[in-house]
Amino acid sequence: MPIQFRPVVLATLLSSLIIAPPLSLAAKPSTVVESKKADLGFAQIKTAFLSALWQQDPDMAMAAGRYQDANKLVLPDQATRDAYVAFTDNWLAQLNKVGADALSAKEQTDLALMRNYLNGTRWYLTQFREFEWNPTQHNIAGSFDAILNTDFAPKAKRVQVAIQRLQAVPAYYAAAKASIKNPTPEHTRLAIKQSAGAISVLADLEKAASQEKLATKDKQALEDGLKNARAAVNDYVQFLENLEKKLDTATARSFRIGKQLYEGKFTADIQSSLSAEQTYQRALTARDEAHNNMEKLADQLWDKTMGAQAKPADRVKKIAMVIDKLSENHVVAKDLYPEIRQQLPLLEKWIREHDLVSLDLKKPLVVRETPVYQRGVSLASIEAPGIFRPNDKTYYNVTPFDGQPADQVESTLREYNHWVLQILNIHEAIPGHYTQLQHANKSPSVIKTLFGNGAMIEGWAVYSERMMLESGYGGNTPEMWLMYYKWNLRAVCNTILDYLVHVLGMTEAEAKDFLMNQAFQTKAEADGKWLRVQYTSVQLTSYFSGYSEILEFREQLKKQQGDKFKLKQFHEQFLSYGSAPVGMIKKLMLKDAGKQRFLK
């Protein structure tokens, strides 16, 4: 499920990463003293870079937990984009002067990530140009929500910051309208829907301000600001609605980005040693392997679930029948949130008793309804604090069933049945995203955490599902393993689906047939995934790409180290590098392996 850093979606940060020319991780200083000296000099460069970045991009600063410039609402206009391109050019020139070979391995990876970010930002602004065709990029809700709900200052101060930021909202939406050129119909419709979240957040600000004693001038600024901001949001929605009416689906820009942009974006975001097409081919093989395992489990469960009913010859149909029967075991809608909250302590207990990875229970995890402005993409997500505010609340967002017909609610609950809901909680929370991001925020490298790699983050969450079941969680029952493979097929088939849709032109009917009849997903899940694959590109490949690389690396080390391999120490060492790409972590861990740093 998607991960978010307040106040911007993590994918926005990750979309700025593109591979720089590969750096050798073997530092070649003449002495250890010279290496330390080079590292110290580079540390000063990193400090200067981050200071400049916070000024250039206050929203990214907020996402990282720095709210010094939270009162500034950056306009999405050409002047802002030109300034950002100039910023990237300036810093790339400075980083090109750094002698990479003189740095230690860890500092070389930081240098590579900085270059990745700058090159990627430039590519996105000058070539991908999503700001022109994706109106959902222009929404004030996330930043205001972060200001109001992050305890970076007393509430009265946060309200004042929000009031100051409020004054620029009309200019923000005017710039957004000017930026949009030939939007896709799909993103236009989603933007109209999500804009309701902006109105909702403005209401939250009004309510929060009513509870504070404001000076007369602040009251007036609030009143005028809210009036003008609401008018600006409504005008933007009207603009989009009028635009949508004029869009001809035959001539409007397609949401499909095509092979060239897809490969470029895959290289940028995923940072794998494989190409997008190679990863797609690997996923096809993984799908077939999953089907083989699921058939064996379905045979084992057939009499228990289906009684004397004859087995169909078609294995996919046989698997689907067993899954369909098991899926009748699910919570009722009103118990979804309580059940999720009840399961989290049980996961914590299991991890501690089996010594799988360290946990920090002092970091609050709050299960809540997904904010309106974030809905429309997935059922659940984690919204994590930035590296500079690691003790803030982490939100486990779950989208409510408001207004959904009964059959759709039932379909969703069957998808997230008794077994799958447990796996979802592993993925989103413990020991998945919540745990991994806790470790990332403790990483000594701000760079590795700030410019986190989506494939590593999502890959860890998918890996943690398998690791938990391997430890015996769920009792090693065939029901739990069958539902695990069904869930794991989501990651595998996400990759297949994304490539088929964006590169090979798969239709809606073909996509839903694929999801329901090869990935064993319910109609509600297939409907939602079709929406998601229209709204996003490449992100869906991050799950399988990262997971397969992590698992492959773990098995490589287990084979090499034999009895000396310790699972918890592998996890601790792997997570200690922040959210760096899996390939970088692998190189660093192999280098450290010789020093016995994660082996006893």
Side-chain angles (χ1 to χ4, degrees):
M1 298 295 180
I3 312 305
Q4 297 160 354
F5 278 162
R6 295 191 296 275
V8 290
V9 180
L10 181 61
T12 302
L13 302 183
L14 299 179
S15 69
S16 303
L17 302 179
I18 192 166
I19 291 292
L23 295 173
S24 168
L25 289 179
K28 301 175 182 178
S30 58
T31 68
V32 174
V33 173
E34 288 182 12
S35 177
K36 290 183 177 179
K37 183 178 179 180
D39 284 359
L40 287 173
F42 184 54
Q44 295 177 340
I45 293 174
K46 288 195 293 184
T47 299
F49 168 73
L50 290 173
S51 179
L53 180 61
W54 307 145
Q55 295 181 43
Q56 179 65 40
D57 196 338
D59 281 351
M60 177 173 276
M62 289 172 64
R66 300 180 67 92
Y67 284 80
Q68 288 87 336
D69 293 320
N71 62 322
K72 299 176 182 177
L73 179 59
V74 178
L75 305 185
D77 58 14
Q78 193 58 44
T80 297
R81 294 188 285 270
D82 288 343
Y84 220 135
V85 170
F87 172 85
T88 64
D89 289 343
N90 174 53
W91 274 99
L92 282 169
Q94 294 192 48
L95 294 181
N96 285 338
K97 299 176 184 177
V98 176
D101 287 344
L103 299 174
S104 65
K106 290 183 179 181
E107 296 301 338
Q108 286 187 34
T109 57
D110 275 9
L111 176 60
L113 286 171
M114 291 164 69
R115 285 175 170 165
N116 292 344
Y117 171 74
L118 294 166
N119 280 318
T121 297
R122 196 180 202 291
W123 182 76
Y124 269 82
L125 289 175
T126 61
Q127 296 185 49
F128 200 61
R129 301 180 69 82
E130 191 171 4
F131 55 85
E132 290 184 342
W133 50 266
N134 180 3
T136 68
Q137 287 209 327
H138 310 303
N139 193 320
I140 61 165
S143 58
F144 278 95
D145 183 47
I147 291 168
L148 294 175
N149 292 297
T150 304
D151 296 328
F152 65 88
K155 187 177 178 182
K157 174 63 176 177
R158 285 183 277 135
V159 168
Q160 287 185 329
V161 168
I163 291 173
Q164 293 172 28
R165 189 178 183 90
L166 189 64
Q167 309 312 308
V169 170
Y172 176 93
Y173 280 109
K177 289 164 57 178
S179 295
I180 295 172
K181 307 282 194 303
N182 194 24
T184 77
E186 295 79 9
H187 290 99
T188 302
R189 287 191 290 269
L190 180 61
I192 292 169
K193 179 180 178 181
Q194 290 186 337
S195 289
I199 295 295
S200 176
V201 169
L202 293 175
D204 292 342
L205 171 56
E206 185 173 28
K207 180 179 179 180
S210 69
Q211 299 169 355
E212 304 296 329
K213 294 181 179 179
L214 299 179
T216 302
K217 66 175 183 177
D218 289 334
K219 288 181 179 180
Q220 190 62 52
L222 174 67
E223 182 180 343
D224 293 342
L226 286 172
K227 178 182 177 181
N228 295 332
R230 285 171 173 143
V233 173
N234 290 330
D235 177 69
Y236 184 61
V237 171
Q238 186 65 55
F239 165 78
L240 293 178
E241 289 176 342
N242 291 337
L243 198 58
E244 184 192 11
K245 293 175 184 177
K246 300 175 184 177
L247 290 176
D248 183 345
T249 54
T251 58
R253 181 184 178 112
S254 171
F255 71 86
R256 306 174 197 272
I257 64 174
K259 184 174 178 59
Q260 182 176 357
L261 285 178
Y262 194 92
E263 285 287 359
K265 192 177 182 187
F266 182 87
T267 300
D269 292 357
I270 304 303
Q271 300 185 56
S272 169
S273 60
L274 303 178
S275 68
E277 185 173 5
Q278 289 171 327
T279 303
Y280 163 68
Q281 293 294 338
R282 176 182 278 194
L284 291 175
T285 300
R287 177 200 56 186
D288 294 340
E289 291 174 350
H291 283 179
N292 290 335
N293 290 326
M294 295 175 82
E295 182 179 21
K296 296 174 184 177
L297 291 164
D299 284 336
Q300 186 178 345
L301 288 165
W302 185 264
D303 291 343
K304 181 178 180 180
T305 57
M306 307 307 296
Q309 187 171 349
K311 290 182 185 179
D314 182 86
R315 74 170 181 176
V316 170
K317 185 176 181 180
K318 176 173 57 179
I319 295 167
M321 289 174 69
V322 175
I323 288 175
D324 189 56
K325 184 63 177 178
L326 291 175
S327 297
E328 294 174 1
N329 185 354
H330 62 74
V331 299
V332 297
K334 68 180 180 62
D335 292 338
L336 178 62
Y337 289 87
E339 180 65 22
I340 289 174
R341 294 186 180 101
Q342 180 180 325
Q343 286 184 15
L344 299 182
L346 300 179
L347 294 173
E348 293 173 358
K349 181 180 178 183
W350 181 273
I351 289 167
R352 291 188 182 281
E353 288 179 348
H354 293 79
D355 202 27
L356 298 174
V357 65
S358 63
L359 301 173
D360 185 354
L361 299 182
K362 297 178 182 178
K363 307 296 175 61
L365 176 62
V366 179
V367 181
R368 69 170 185 177
E369 291 188 0
T370 305
V372 175
Y373 68 89
Q374 294 176 7
R375 296 179 190 177
V377 178
S378 65
L379 175 77
S381 65
I382 282 289
E383 189 174 343
I387 186 173
F388 296 111
R389 298 194 59 81
N391 295 318
D392 283 348
K393 296 175 182 176
T394 293
Y395 292 111
Y396 184 170
N397 296 326
V398 182
T399 303
F401 298 118
D402 298 350
Q404 296 183 22
D407 60 338
Q408 185 174 347
V409 173
E410 174 65 15
S411 183
T412 300
L413 291 172
R414 289 174 66 87
E415 179 71 21
Y416 295 90
N417 56 58
H418 170 73
W419 298 275
V420 171
L421 188 59
Q422 295 176 67
I423 301 171
L424 172 70
N425 289 326
I426 291 171
H427 179 104
E428 297 292 347
I430 303 167
H433 290 317
Y434 171 64
T435 301
Q436 185 266 320
L437 293 169
Q438 279 187 350
H439 281 262
N441 279 342
K442 293 190 293 186
S443 170
S445 171
V446 174
I447 296 295
K448 289 184 179 67
T449 301
L450 181 66
F451 300 138
N453 175 257
M456 181 275 176
I457 295 170
E458 294 294 1
W460 169 264
V462 177
Y463 164 79
S464 71
E465 302 156 12
R466 182 185 181 99
M467 178 268 290
M468 285 288 281
L469 264 68
E470 288 174 338
S471 74
Y473 180 83
N476 275 320
T477 64
E479 292 91 343
M480 191 66 174
W481 274 104
L482 179 62
M483 288 301 179
Y484 162 77
Y485 281 115
K486 166 181 156 54
W487 178 267
N488 186 254
L489 267 178
R490 290 167 68 121
V492 174
C493 291
N494 278 349
T495 294
I496 299 171
L497 174 74
D498 206 55
Y499 195 84
L500 286 173
V501 170
H502 283 282
V503 177
L504 301 180
M506 176 182 256
T507 66
E508 177 180 357
E510 292 170 338
K512 291 182 178 179
D513 177 74
F514 166 74
L515 291 170
M516 289 189 286
N517 295 320
Q518 294 193 46
F520 308 102
Q521 295 178 10
T522 62
K523 183 178 184 302
E525 185 65 24
D527 289 343
K529 190 58 62 67
W530 171 250
L531 290 175
R532 184 171 171 183
V533 78
Q534 294 175 84
Y535 301 148
T536 68
S537 56
V538 173
Q539 194 274 336
L540 282 171
T541 70
S542 61
Y543 303 85
F544 175 72
S545 176
Y547 157 74
S548 59
E549 289 193 48
I550 295 171
L551 186 63
E552 183 179 57
F553 176 43
R554 187 195 72 177
E555 294 307 298
Q556 174 188 344
L557 286 181
K558 286 174 69 175
K559 184 177 181 180
Q560 289 178 355
Q561 302 299 333
D563 293 341
K564 294 181 179 180
F565 180 85
K566 304 297 181 183
L567 185 63
K568 181 179 181 179
Q569 286 142 350
F570 167 75
H571 293 156
E572 299 287 310
Q573 186 72 2
F574 185 87
L575 294 175
S576 71
Y577 296 101
S579 301
V582 177
M584 286 188 182
I585 294 176
K586 178 180 178 180
K587 290 178 181 179
L588 291 170
M589 287 184 67
L590 289 175
K591 183 179 180 66
D592 287 341
K595 304 175 184 178
Q596 301 290 308
R597 289 188 60 182
F598 64 94
L599 301 172
K600 288 184 179 179

